[in-house]
Amino acid sequence: MQMRIITPSDELWNEVEKYAEKCSWRAGKFLANEMKNRSFSDWERVIVCFEDKEICGYCTVAKKDCIPNVSYTPYIGYIFVGEPYRGNRISQKMIEFAMRYLKSIGFDRVYVVSDHENLYEKYGFTVIDKKIALWGEEEKIYMQKL
């Protein structure tokens, strides 16, 4: 399994965009739209996990997430693993890869927004806040020091 950081100039960009558009998770369409519109700037990136040229999953590192009007940054978001690859700790590996990248560019902490129970805690994150997301539901904001 390999991880790779991609930008709009990468040859994998369009392939990951199409994969996100068709994935089973409704948020995939939002990521595909952000990729299509080239919404990533500065140090923001898409991280893709693949095996033998097959995409296994993806996540992003970005300045913002779905919670407006907060000062937290950076975020690891859009964490998705395709169904055939689940149960292999790919989410954990992508999160660790993203954290190494963020640390290498000078960040000392990272955030994740989720409504999942007992998922990000097992990766070392702690809940630091709860806020209403753009779609009107309460989400937890997790933090981990890098």
Side-chain angles (χ1 to χ4, degrees), residues 39-102:
S39 299
F40 294 82
S41 63
D42 300 326
W43 50 265
E44 296 178 301
R45 301 287 187 269
V46 174
I47 295 170
V48 59
C49 176
F50 57 96
E51 184 172 60
D52 298 327
K53 298 184 181 183
E54 280 289 315
I55 297 172
C56 305
Y58 56 76
C59 69
T60 62
V61 288
K63 296 173 188 174
K64 297 180 181 180
D65 205 308
C66 59
I67 308 290
N69 304 317
V70 293
S71 60
Y72 308 121
T73 197
Y75 289 93
I76 299 173
Y78 289 111
I79 303 164
F80 176 79
V81 175
E83 287 80 356
Y85 300 98
R86 292 183 182 168
N88 296 304
R89 298 187 177 247
I90 293 173
S91 291
Q92 180 180 1
K93 292 172 186 172
M94 288 192 303
I95 289 167
E96 290 169 351
F97 188 87
M99 290 192 313
R100 284 191 301 273
Y101 166 70
L102 290 168

Side-chain angles (χ1 to χ4, degrees), residues 5-16:
I5 295 171
I6 63 171
T7 63
S9 62
D10 195 290
E11 74 271 4
L12 277 177
W13 188 264
N14 290 336
E15 188 177 338
V16 174

